mmCIF file of all heavy atoms in Angstrom:
data_model
loop_
_atom_site.group_PDB
_atom_site.id
_atom_site.type_symbol
_atom_site.label_atom_id
_atom_site.label_comp_id
_atom_site.label_asym_id
_atom_site.label_seq_id
_atom_site.Cartn_x
_atom_site.Cartn_y
_atom_site.Cartn_z
ATOM 1 N N ARG A 1 -43.185 -25.092 -90.243
ATOM 2 C CA ARG A 1 -43.841 -24.643 -89.000
ATOM 3 C C ARG A 1 -44.783 -25.758 -88.504
ATOM 4 O O ARG A 1 -45.489 -26.404 -89.291
ATOM 5 C CB ARG A 1 -44.636 -23.364 -89.285
ATOM 6 C CG ARG A 1 -43.719 -22.209 -89.711
ATOM 7 C CD ARG A 1 -44.514 -20.929 -89.940
ATOM 8 N NE ARG A 1 -45.071 -20.357 -88.723
ATOM 9 C CZ ARG A 1 -44.373 -19.613 -87.862
ATOM 10 N NH1 ARG A 1 -43.097 -19.320 -88.110
ATOM 11 N NH2 ARG A 1 -44.936 -19.099 -86.786
ATOM 12 N N GLN A 2 -44.734 -25.946 -87.210
ATOM 13 C CA GLN A 2 -45.688 -26.840 -86.534
ATOM 14 C C GLN A 2 -46.097 -26.114 -85.231
ATOM 15 O O GLN A 2 -45.266 -25.487 -84.584
ATOM 16 C CB GLN A 2 -44.992 -28.191 -86.143
ATOM 17 C CG GLN A 2 -44.810 -29.117 -87.309
ATOM 18 C CD GLN A 2 -46.117 -29.654 -87.873
ATOM 19 O OE1 GLN A 2 -47.015 -29.937 -87.072
ATOM 20 N NE2 GLN A 2 -46.221 -29.692 -89.125
ATOM 21 N N PHE A 3 -47.375 -26.209 -84.905
ATOM 22 C CA PHE A 3 -47.905 -25.627 -83.676
ATOM 23 C C PHE A 3 -47.586 -24.159 -83.642
ATOM 24 O O PHE A 3 -47.285 -23.589 -82.577
ATOM 25 C CB PHE A 3 -47.398 -26.345 -82.442
ATOM 26 C CG PHE A 3 -47.627 -27.856 -82.500
ATOM 27 C CD1 PHE A 3 -46.495 -28.695 -82.711
ATOM 28 C CD2 PHE A 3 -48.873 -28.351 -82.413
ATOM 29 C CE1 PHE A 3 -46.703 -30.091 -82.760
ATOM 30 C CE2 PHE A 3 -49.102 -29.724 -82.459
ATOM 31 C CZ PHE A 3 -47.986 -30.597 -82.682
ATOM 32 N N GLY A 4 -47.561 -23.506 -84.817
ATOM 33 C CA GLY A 4 -47.428 -22.037 -84.866
ATOM 34 C C GLY A 4 -46.004 -21.506 -84.814
ATOM 35 O O GLY A 4 -45.815 -20.309 -84.696
ATOM 36 N N ARG A 5 -45.044 -22.382 -84.893
ATOM 37 C CA ARG A 5 -43.662 -21.902 -84.854
ATOM 38 C C ARG A 5 -42.752 -22.793 -85.696
ATOM 39 O O ARG A 5 -43.070 -23.938 -85.926
ATOM 40 C CB ARG A 5 -43.158 -21.800 -83.438
ATOM 41 C CG ARG A 5 -43.171 -23.060 -82.669
ATOM 42 C CD ARG A 5 -42.784 -22.772 -81.190
ATOM 43 N NE ARG A 5 -42.810 -24.065 -80.432
ATOM 44 C CZ ARG A 5 -42.069 -24.311 -79.416
ATOM 45 N NH1 ARG A 5 -41.211 -23.420 -78.978
ATOM 46 N NH2 ARG A 5 -42.138 -25.458 -78.807
ATOM 47 N N PRO A 6 -41.568 -22.250 -86.110
ATOM 48 C CA PRO A 6 -40.656 -23.052 -86.911
ATOM 49 C C PRO A 6 -40.110 -24.235 -86.085
ATOM 50 O O PRO A 6 -39.850 -24.113 -84.899
ATOM 51 C CB PRO A 6 -39.514 -22.118 -87.250
ATOM 52 C CG PRO A 6 -39.960 -20.749 -86.856
ATOM 53 C CD PRO A 6 -41.092 -20.899 -85.885
ATOM 54 N N ILE A 7 -39.962 -25.392 -86.735
ATOM 55 C CA ILE A 7 -39.527 -26.586 -85.986
ATOM 56 C C ILE A 7 -38.096 -26.454 -85.459
ATOM 57 O O ILE A 7 -37.703 -27.170 -84.529
ATOM 58 C CB ILE A 7 -39.675 -27.881 -86.784
ATOM 59 C CG1 ILE A 7 -38.781 -27.932 -88.039
ATOM 60 C CG2 ILE A 7 -41.142 -28.109 -87.131
ATOM 61 C CD1 ILE A 7 -38.712 -29.291 -88.695
ATOM 62 N N ILE A 8 -37.355 -25.495 -85.960
ATOM 63 C CA ILE A 8 -35.968 -25.267 -85.472
ATOM 64 C C ILE A 8 -36.013 -24.772 -83.991
ATOM 65 O O ILE A 8 -35.010 -24.852 -83.265
ATOM 66 C CB ILE A 8 -35.167 -24.289 -86.337
ATOM 67 C CG1 ILE A 8 -33.651 -24.476 -86.063
ATOM 68 C CG2 ILE A 8 -35.584 -22.842 -86.159
ATOM 69 C CD1 ILE A 8 -32.780 -23.872 -87.126
ATOM 70 N N GLU A 9 -37.200 -24.349 -83.566
ATOM 71 C CA GLU A 9 -37.318 -23.927 -82.153
ATOM 72 C C GLU A 9 -37.602 -25.075 -81.204
ATOM 73 O O GLU A 9 -37.499 -24.874 -79.987
ATOM 74 C CB GLU A 9 -38.433 -22.871 -82.049
ATOM 75 C CG GLU A 9 -38.112 -21.564 -82.724
ATOM 76 C CD GLU A 9 -39.221 -20.512 -82.614
ATOM 77 O OE1 GLU A 9 -40.195 -20.723 -81.838
ATOM 78 O OE2 GLU A 9 -39.123 -19.509 -83.356
ATOM 79 N N PHE A 10 -37.873 -26.250 -81.725
ATOM 80 C CA PHE A 10 -38.103 -27.411 -80.856
ATOM 81 C C PHE A 10 -36.770 -28.038 -80.404
ATOM 82 O O PHE A 10 -35.858 -28.242 -81.259
ATOM 83 C CB PHE A 10 -38.960 -28.442 -81.569
ATOM 84 C CG PHE A 10 -40.333 -27.991 -81.886
ATOM 85 C CD1 PHE A 10 -40.767 -27.866 -83.198
ATOM 86 C CD2 PHE A 10 -41.214 -27.624 -80.882
ATOM 87 C CE1 PHE A 10 -42.068 -27.439 -83.500
ATOM 88 C CE2 PHE A 10 -42.529 -27.150 -81.140
ATOM 89 C CZ PHE A 10 -42.918 -27.081 -82.469
ATOM 90 N N GLU A 11 -36.653 -28.287 -79.116
ATOM 91 C CA GLU A 11 -35.381 -28.722 -78.575
ATOM 92 C C GLU A 11 -34.849 -30.038 -79.227
ATOM 93 O O GLU A 11 -33.644 -30.186 -79.435
ATOM 94 C CB GLU A 11 -35.472 -28.896 -77.064
ATOM 95 C CG GLU A 11 -35.589 -27.614 -76.364
ATOM 96 C CD GLU A 11 -35.778 -27.755 -74.851
ATOM 97 O OE1 GLU A 11 -35.750 -28.877 -74.342
ATOM 98 O OE2 GLU A 11 -35.864 -26.671 -74.175
ATOM 99 N N MET A 12 -35.678 -30.979 -79.569
ATOM 100 C CA MET A 12 -35.220 -32.239 -80.134
ATOM 101 C C MET A 12 -34.643 -31.981 -81.554
ATOM 102 O O MET A 12 -33.668 -32.597 -81.926
ATOM 103 C CB MET A 12 -36.305 -33.290 -80.126
ATOM 104 C CG MET A 12 -36.643 -33.794 -78.751
ATOM 105 S SD MET A 12 -35.219 -34.372 -77.796
ATOM 106 C CE MET A 12 -34.734 -35.823 -78.687
ATOM 107 N N VAL A 13 -35.253 -31.087 -82.287
ATOM 108 C CA VAL A 13 -34.764 -30.726 -83.601
ATOM 109 C C VAL A 13 -33.439 -29.989 -83.423
ATOM 110 O O VAL A 13 -32.444 -30.275 -84.134
ATOM 111 C CB VAL A 13 -35.775 -29.874 -84.406
ATOM 112 C CG1 VAL A 13 -35.162 -29.396 -85.715
ATOM 113 C CG2 VAL A 13 -37.036 -30.745 -84.707
ATOM 114 N N GLN A 14 -33.349 -29.087 -82.476
ATOM 115 C CA GLN A 14 -32.123 -28.389 -82.225
ATOM 116 C C GLN A 14 -31.027 -29.374 -81.830
ATOM 117 O O GLN A 14 -29.895 -29.221 -82.315
ATOM 118 C CB GLN A 14 -32.335 -27.376 -81.077
ATOM 119 C CG GLN A 14 -33.160 -26.195 -81.415
ATOM 120 C CD GLN A 14 -33.515 -25.334 -80.204
ATOM 121 O OE1 GLN A 14 -33.239 -25.688 -79.073
ATOM 122 N NE2 GLN A 14 -34.079 -24.176 -80.484
ATOM 123 N N ALA A 15 -31.318 -30.342 -81.024
ATOM 124 C CA ALA A 15 -30.302 -31.310 -80.609
ATOM 125 C C ALA A 15 -29.812 -32.129 -81.800
ATOM 126 O O ALA A 15 -28.620 -32.355 -81.938
ATOM 127 C CB ALA A 15 -30.932 -32.271 -79.535
ATOM 128 N N MET A 16 -30.728 -32.551 -82.713
ATOM 129 C CA MET A 16 -30.297 -33.268 -83.903
ATOM 130 C C MET A 16 -29.394 -32.397 -84.738
ATOM 131 O O MET A 16 -28.353 -32.858 -85.244
ATOM 132 C CB MET A 16 -31.503 -33.817 -84.707
ATOM 133 C CG MET A 16 -32.057 -35.078 -84.149
ATOM 134 S SD MET A 16 -33.057 -36.007 -85.304
ATOM 135 C CE MET A 16 -34.178 -34.867 -85.958
ATOM 136 N N LEU A 17 -29.806 -31.173 -84.967
ATOM 137 C CA LEU A 17 -29.021 -30.232 -85.794
ATOM 138 C C LEU A 17 -27.638 -30.005 -85.143
ATOM 139 O O LEU A 17 -26.610 -29.946 -85.846
ATOM 140 C CB LEU A 17 -29.742 -28.937 -86.026
ATOM 141 C CG LEU A 17 -31.068 -29.054 -86.897
ATOM 142 C CD1 LEU A 17 -31.793 -27.710 -86.893
ATOM 143 C CD2 LEU A 17 -30.738 -29.529 -88.310
ATOM 144 N N ALA A 18 -27.626 -29.817 -83.858
ATOM 145 C CA ALA A 18 -26.342 -29.601 -83.162
ATOM 146 C C ALA A 18 -25.444 -30.808 -83.291
ATOM 147 O O ALA A 18 -24.230 -30.669 -83.566
ATOM 148 C CB ALA A 18 -26.609 -29.272 -81.683
ATOM 149 N N ASP A 19 -25.975 -32.002 -83.108
ATOM 150 C CA ASP A 19 -25.195 -33.227 -83.314
ATOM 151 C C ASP A 19 -24.645 -33.338 -84.721
ATOM 152 O O ASP A 19 -23.483 -33.730 -84.952
ATOM 153 C CB ASP A 19 -25.999 -34.485 -82.972
ATOM 154 C CG ASP A 19 -26.220 -34.679 -81.471
ATOM 155 O OD1 ASP A 19 -25.523 -33.997 -80.655
ATOM 156 O OD2 ASP A 19 -27.110 -35.453 -81.119
ATOM 157 N N MET A 20 -25.476 -32.955 -85.693
ATOM 158 C CA MET A 20 -24.999 -32.947 -87.078
ATOM 159 C C MET A 20 -23.847 -31.971 -87.271
ATOM 160 O O MET A 20 -22.869 -32.279 -87.973
ATOM 161 C CB MET A 20 -26.177 -32.649 -88.010
ATOM 162 C CG MET A 20 -27.255 -33.699 -88.013
ATOM 163 S SD MET A 20 -28.866 -33.133 -88.708
ATOM 164 C CE MET A 20 -28.396 -32.928 -90.426
ATOM 165 N N ALA A 21 -23.977 -30.812 -86.689
ATOM 166 C CA ALA A 21 -22.902 -29.820 -86.807
ATOM 167 C C ALA A 21 -21.636 -30.285 -86.154
ATOM 168 O O ALA A 21 -20.505 -30.059 -86.676
ATOM 169 C CB ALA A 21 -23.374 -28.465 -86.192
ATOM 170 N N VAL A 22 -21.766 -30.910 -85.013
ATOM 171 C CA VAL A 22 -20.563 -31.481 -84.332
ATOM 172 C C VAL A 22 -19.855 -32.510 -85.239
ATOM 173 O O VAL A 22 -18.660 -32.489 -85.381
ATOM 174 C CB VAL A 22 -20.965 -32.114 -82.996
ATOM 175 C CG1 VAL A 22 -19.844 -32.954 -82.392
ATOM 176 C CG2 VAL A 22 -21.353 -31.031 -82.005
ATOM 177 N N LYS A 23 -20.624 -33.376 -85.812
ATOM 178 C CA LYS A 23 -20.081 -34.402 -86.720
ATOM 179 C C LYS A 23 -19.366 -33.795 -87.906
ATOM 180 O O LYS A 23 -18.316 -34.199 -88.360
ATOM 181 C CB LYS A 23 -21.144 -35.377 -87.178
ATOM 182 C CG LYS A 23 -21.815 -36.193 -86.039
ATOM 183 C CD LYS A 23 -21.102 -37.492 -85.860
ATOM 184 C CE LYS A 23 -21.852 -38.451 -84.968
ATOM 185 N NZ LYS A 23 -22.239 -38.063 -83.629
ATOM 186 N N CYS A 24 -20.001 -32.733 -88.452
ATOM 187 C CA CYS A 24 -19.394 -32.051 -89.599
ATOM 188 C C CYS A 24 -18.050 -31.388 -89.244
ATOM 189 O O CYS A 24 -17.076 -31.567 -89.960
ATOM 190 C CB CYS A 24 -20.304 -30.954 -90.143
ATOM 191 S SG CYS A 24 -21.726 -31.561 -91.064
ATOM 192 N N GLN A 25 -18.048 -30.679 -88.112
ATOM 193 C CA GLN A 25 -16.809 -29.983 -87.714
ATOM 194 C C GLN A 25 -15.707 -30.994 -87.307
ATOM 195 O O GLN A 25 -14.562 -30.825 -87.707
ATOM 196 C CB GLN A 25 -17.094 -29.096 -86.508
ATOM 197 C CG GLN A 25 -17.884 -27.853 -86.860
ATOM 198 C CD GLN A 25 -17.094 -26.948 -87.772
ATOM 199 O OE1 GLN A 25 -15.893 -26.759 -87.652
ATOM 200 N NE2 GLN A 25 -17.774 -26.371 -88.747
ATOM 201 N N ALA A 26 -16.051 -32.038 -86.605
ATOM 202 C CA ALA A 26 -15.056 -33.038 -86.199
ATOM 203 C C ALA A 26 -14.532 -33.785 -87.461
ATOM 204 O O ALA A 26 -13.317 -34.045 -87.549
ATOM 205 C CB ALA A 26 -15.679 -34.063 -85.210
ATOM 206 N N SER A 27 -15.401 -34.079 -88.361
ATOM 207 C CA SER A 27 -15.005 -34.767 -89.583
ATOM 208 C C SER A 27 -14.044 -33.885 -90.409
ATOM 209 O O SER A 27 -13.007 -34.361 -90.901
ATOM 210 C CB SER A 27 -16.180 -35.148 -90.455
ATOM 211 O OG SER A 27 -16.948 -36.099 -89.754
ATOM 212 N N ARG A 28 -14.367 -32.655 -90.541
ATOM 213 C CA ARG A 28 -13.491 -31.724 -91.262
ATOM 214 C C ARG A 28 -12.128 -31.648 -90.583
ATOM 215 O O ARG A 28 -11.084 -31.662 -91.258
ATOM 216 C CB ARG A 28 -14.158 -30.298 -91.281
ATOM 217 C CG ARG A 28 -13.452 -29.345 -92.185
ATOM 218 C CD ARG A 28 -14.234 -28.035 -92.351
ATOM 219 N NE ARG A 28 -15.345 -28.240 -93.258
ATOM 220 C CZ ARG A 28 -16.639 -28.240 -92.922
ATOM 221 N NH1 ARG A 28 -16.975 -28.059 -91.692
ATOM 222 N NH2 ARG A 28 -17.593 -28.444 -93.808
ATOM 223 N N ALA A 29 -12.091 -31.666 -89.293
ATOM 224 C CA ALA A 29 -10.828 -31.576 -88.541
ATOM 225 C C ALA A 29 -9.960 -32.833 -88.779
ATOM 226 O O ALA A 29 -8.748 -32.723 -88.994
ATOM 227 C CB ALA A 29 -11.055 -31.389 -87.055
ATOM 228 N N VAL A 30 -10.572 -34.034 -88.690
ATOM 229 C CA VAL A 30 -9.759 -35.225 -88.904
ATOM 230 C C VAL A 30 -9.301 -35.386 -90.329
ATOM 231 O O VAL A 30 -8.210 -35.864 -90.607
ATOM 232 C CB VAL A 30 -10.482 -36.537 -88.349
ATOM 233 C CG1 VAL A 30 -10.663 -36.528 -86.907
ATOM 234 C CG2 VAL A 30 -11.713 -36.839 -89.112
ATOM 235 N N VAL A 31 -10.105 -34.910 -91.287
ATOM 236 C CA VAL A 31 -9.689 -34.941 -92.681
ATOM 237 C C VAL A 31 -8.522 -34.009 -92.852
ATOM 238 O O VAL A 31 -7.490 -34.374 -93.492
ATOM 239 C CB VAL A 31 -10.841 -34.538 -93.645
ATOM 240 C CG1 VAL A 31 -10.279 -34.281 -95.021
ATOM 241 C CG2 VAL A 31 -11.873 -35.669 -93.698
ATOM 242 N N ASN A 32 -8.597 -32.776 -92.318
ATOM 243 C CA ASN A 32 -7.511 -31.812 -92.420
ATOM 244 C C ASN A 32 -6.237 -32.331 -91.815
ATOM 245 O O ASN A 32 -5.130 -32.204 -92.367
ATOM 246 C CB ASN A 32 -7.914 -30.482 -91.837
ATOM 247 C CG ASN A 32 -8.877 -29.722 -92.680
ATOM 248 O OD1 ASN A 32 -9.035 -29.994 -93.858
ATOM 249 N ND2 ASN A 32 -9.604 -28.782 -92.070
ATOM 250 N N ASN A 33 -6.358 -33.039 -90.653
ATOM 251 C CA ASN A 33 -5.185 -33.562 -90.008
ATOM 252 C C ASN A 33 -4.535 -34.642 -90.890
ATOM 253 O O ASN A 33 -3.316 -34.677 -91.073
ATOM 254 C CB ASN A 33 -5.573 -34.174 -88.648
ATOM 255 C CG ASN A 33 -4.369 -34.753 -87.968
ATOM 256 O OD1 ASN A 33 -3.406 -34.057 -87.668
ATOM 257 N ND2 ASN A 33 -4.393 -36.096 -87.756
ATOM 258 N N CYS A 34 -5.319 -35.526 -91.433
ATOM 259 C CA CYS A 34 -4.806 -36.581 -92.300
ATOM 260 C C CYS A 34 -4.137 -36.003 -93.563
ATOM 261 O O CYS A 34 -3.079 -36.469 -93.973
ATOM 262 C CB CYS A 34 -5.892 -37.582 -92.676
ATOM 263 S SG CYS A 34 -5.264 -39.092 -93.417
ATOM 264 N N MET A 35 -4.742 -34.979 -94.122
ATOM 265 C CA MET A 35 -4.138 -34.323 -95.296
ATOM 266 C C MET A 35 -2.807 -33.669 -94.926
ATOM 267 O O MET A 35 -1.870 -33.719 -95.719
ATOM 268 C CB MET A 35 -5.081 -33.292 -95.883
ATOM 269 C CG MET A 35 -6.325 -33.884 -96.481
ATOM 270 S SD MET A 35 -5.911 -35.028 -97.829
ATOM 271 C CE MET A 35 -7.555 -35.360 -98.459
ATOM 272 N N ARG A 36 -2.690 -33.080 -93.751
ATOM 273 C CA ARG A 36 -1.398 -32.536 -93.321
ATOM 274 C C ARG A 36 -0.354 -33.678 -93.246
ATOM 275 O O ARG A 36 0.767 -33.481 -93.577
ATOM 276 C CB ARG A 36 -1.547 -31.815 -91.993
ATOM 277 C CG ARG A 36 -2.069 -30.398 -92.135
ATOM 278 C CD ARG A 36 -1.961 -29.607 -90.863
ATOM 279 N NE ARG A 36 -2.840 -30.046 -89.784
ATOM 280 C CZ ARG A 36 -4.128 -29.738 -89.672
ATOM 281 N NH1 ARG A 36 -4.670 -28.924 -90.553
ATOM 282 N NH2 ARG A 36 -4.830 -30.212 -88.673
ATOM 283 N N LEU A 37 -0.759 -34.818 -92.704
ATOM 284 C CA LEU A 37 0.197 -35.940 -92.626
ATOM 285 C C LEU A 37 0.613 -36.393 -94.020
ATOM 286 O O LEU A 37 1.779 -36.698 -94.233
ATOM 287 C CB LEU A 37 -0.470 -37.114 -91.859
ATOM 288 C CG LEU A 37 -0.735 -36.887 -90.381
ATOM 289 C CD1 LEU A 37 -1.577 -38.067 -89.796
ATOM 290 C CD2 LEU A 37 0.571 -36.740 -89.617
ATOM 291 N N ILE A 38 -0.325 -36.437 -94.948
ATOM 292 C CA ILE A 38 0.043 -36.814 -96.331
ATOM 293 C C ILE A 38 0.976 -35.831 -96.877
ATOM 294 O O ILE A 38 2.029 -36.182 -97.501
ATOM 295 C CB ILE A 38 -1.240 -36.906 -97.193
ATOM 296 C CG1 ILE A 38 -2.067 -38.137 -96.776
ATOM 297 C CG2 ILE A 38 -0.873 -36.973 -98.670
ATOM 298 C CD1 ILE A 38 -3.459 -38.190 -97.392
ATOM 299 N N ASP A 39 0.736 -34.498 -96.706
ATOM 300 C CA ASP A 39 1.659 -33.452 -97.189
ATOM 301 C C ASP A 39 3.012 -33.609 -96.587
ATOM 302 O O ASP A 39 4.012 -33.257 -97.272
ATOM 303 C CB ASP A 39 1.074 -32.065 -96.907
ATOM 304 C CG ASP A 39 -0.108 -31.706 -97.805
ATOM 305 O OD1 ASP A 39 -0.342 -32.403 -98.798
ATOM 306 O OD2 ASP A 39 -0.818 -30.743 -97.458
ATOM 307 N N ALA A 40 3.087 -34.075 -95.349
ATOM 308 C CA ALA A 40 4.394 -34.231 -94.688
ATOM 309 C C ALA A 40 5.095 -35.510 -95.076
ATOM 310 O O ALA A 40 6.195 -35.784 -94.610
ATOM 311 C CB ALA A 40 4.174 -34.162 -93.173
#
């Protein structure tokens, strides 16, 4: 908490977390695609 509220409510923190989530999801997708190619 900062300034009386959780920092997850601050837009810049939200933006960093969102970017991190995007990178995780995109990475999982490209790994899964490559694994499908290996299986094939």
Side-chain angles (χ1 to χ4, degrees):
R1 298 181 69 81
Q2 285 292 320
F3 308 107
R5 59 187 180 150
I7 65 170
I8 200 164
E9 293 180 10
F10 295 118
E11 289 178 1
M12 291 307 292
V13 173
Q14 291 172 349
M16 279 200 310
L17 294 172
D19 286 345
M20 293 163 69
V22 167
K23 297 268 191 303
C24 286
Q25 288 294 321
S27 294
R28 189 171 283 111
V30 295
V31 167
N32 287 340
N33 180 63
C34 192
M35 292 301 187
R36 278 192 291 278
L37 292 172
I38 290 169
D39 287 346

